């Protein structure tokens, strides 16, 4: 961990990529780990354009459950430590999460690669609607002939262009890349950690090994809420 702290102290630019694991200690399930969504449910049904076309109510029911879980969740010490790190170094945080917990912890420079579950988007006229406690199922069909869907990225879809371009640029320019709580299996997001910058010091924080671990300069086998406050605290 000392090598990472040294690298962060000397860094001009830091890039952080997070995934569902950083929110695990806020009580939110991951996708692929024990208790993860994709252990019991099929992502083709719930997180793809084809699944939505087949059964939009089923998809919205699942997202409404997640919206409720996000509303009950609070940022954990891992989220807060990254917000604190941004006050000390020039940092860009790209997240695959749609739970808003980074912003709620105070992070400012956040790129939401997989969208934002606080909004619904009409698939035809692109009208956006802020979602309150839940999206009303009787309002899925829009007057324009389209359907409101969650404003998130599904399998087979492109990432929002601005977020992707800004994340790719920040990853390429970084001296230190921190990869926290992601299995690094979903592309293109995972490429930000490994394929864009051979010069950066890359550190992974994850209690389990991932496909990326072998290519990191340092792997910290701890949870985000354990490791990040220690790292950021030690920089003072
Ligand atoms: P995954 O569920 O694939 O991976 C979560 C990672 O977090 C695993 O490697 C765990 O070991 C790790 N983890 C678990 N608890 C942790 C903790 N307390 N601290 C740190 N790490 C912990 O989730 P993602 O990599 O985010 O996309 O998945 C990527 C994308 O796949 C998601 O954005 C979502 C999903 O399908 C879409 O729905 C499009």
């Amino acid at each position: 961990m000392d090598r990472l702290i040294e690298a962060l102290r000397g860094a001009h630019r830091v890039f952080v990529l997070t995934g569902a694991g950083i929110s695990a200690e806020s009580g939110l399930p991951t996708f692929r780990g024990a208790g993860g969504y994709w252990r019991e449910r099929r992502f083709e049904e719930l997180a793809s354009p084809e699944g939505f076309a087949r059964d939009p109510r089923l998809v919205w029911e699942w997202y409404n459950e997640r919206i409720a879980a996000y509303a009950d969740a609070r940022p954990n010490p891992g989220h807060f430590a990254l917000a604190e790190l941004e006050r000390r170094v020039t940092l860009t945080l790209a997240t695959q999460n749609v739970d808003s917990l980074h912003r709620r912890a105070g992070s400012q420079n956040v790129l939401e690669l997989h969208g934002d579950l606080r909004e619904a988007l009409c698939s035809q006229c692109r009208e956006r609607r802020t979602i309150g406690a839940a999206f009303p199922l009787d309002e899925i069909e829009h007057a324009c002939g389209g359907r409101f869907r969650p404003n998130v990225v599904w399998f087979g879809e492109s990432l929002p262009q601005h977020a992707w371009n800004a994340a790719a640029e920040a990853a390429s320019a970084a001296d230190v890349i921190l990869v926290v709580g992601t299995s690094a299996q979903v592309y293109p997001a995972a490429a930000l950690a490994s394929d864009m910058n051979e010069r950066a010091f890359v550190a992974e924080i994850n209690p389990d090994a991932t496909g990326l671990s072998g290519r990191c300069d340092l792997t910290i086998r701890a949870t985000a809420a354990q490791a990040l406050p220690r790292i950021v605290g030690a920089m003072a």
Side-chain angles (χ1 to χ4, degrees):
M1 211 181 266
D2 291 348
R3 285 166 66 208
L4 174 58
I5 293 161
E6 272 314 299
L8 285 170
R9 279 195 184 123
H12 294 291
R13 293 184 190 200
V14 176
F15 176 73
V16 184
L17 175 67
T18 67
I22 194 165
S23 298
E25 285 153 299
S26 295
L28 299 175
T30 62
F31 291 92
R32 296 173 181 78
Y37 290 120
W38 302 151
R39 292 288 182 104
E40 288 182 3
R41 297 160 187 256
R42 285 164 44 84
F43 68 79
E44 297 90 338
E45 277 175 15
L46 298 174
S48 78
E50 296 77 18
F52 185 69
R54 256 194 311 273
D55 196 342
R57 289 181 74 91
L58 176 79
V59 171
W60 266 117
E61 277 164 6
W62 185 62
Y63 279 99
N64 278 343
E65 280 171 28
R66 288 176 61 195
I67 289 165
Y70 294 170
D72 288 343
R74 298 284 170 267
N76 67 55
H79 297 105
F80 286 119
L82 288 177
E84 176 60 28
L85 186 60
E86 188 180 341
R87 291 189 273 272
R88 298 183 187 200
V89 296
T90 303
L91 180 147
T92 301
L93 193 167
T95 186
Q96 298 163 88
N97 301 343
V98 296
D99 57 25
S100 305
L101 289 180
H102 285 301
R103 288 189 191 281
R104 285 169 58 193
S107 285
Q108 306 274 322
N109 196 11
V110 181
L111 301 169
E112 291 170 317
L113 299 171
H114 288 172
D116 178 355
L117 193 44
R118 290 167 301 182
E119 272 185 359
L121 172 76
C122 176
S123 52
Q124 189 150 300
C125 72
R126 316 303 285 173
E127 182 183 320
R128 291 168 181 219
R129 263 191 209 170
T130 302
I131 306 173
F135 187 82
L137 298 185
D138 56 1
E139 292 179 22
I140 295 173
E141 304 297 332
H142 192 205
C144 76
R147 277 176 174 163
F148 277 105
R149 55 164 285 176
N151 192 14
V152 297
V153 176
W154 283 329
F155 286 93
E157 295 184 323
S158 305
L159 271 48
Q161 201 166 3
H162 165 74
W164 171 255
N165 289 343
E169 198 181 310
S172 311
D175 314 294
V176 177
I177 297 181
L178 264 181
V179 190
V180 187
T182 177
S183 61
Q185 285 188 37
V186 174
Y187 282 78
L192 293 167
S194 55
D195 298 356
M196 306 222 162
N197 184 333
E198 292 190 346
R199 192 180 44 81
F201 181 89
V202 182
E204 175 181 67
I205 298 175
N206 195 315
D208 295 320
T210 71
L212 190 70
S213 302
R215 283 180 284 159
C216 291
D217 297 293
L218 177 71
T219 51
I220 298 174
R221 292 277 164 260
T223 72
Q226 288 164 350
L228 286 168
R230 281 172 51 202
I231 292 161
V232 178
M235 284 179 67

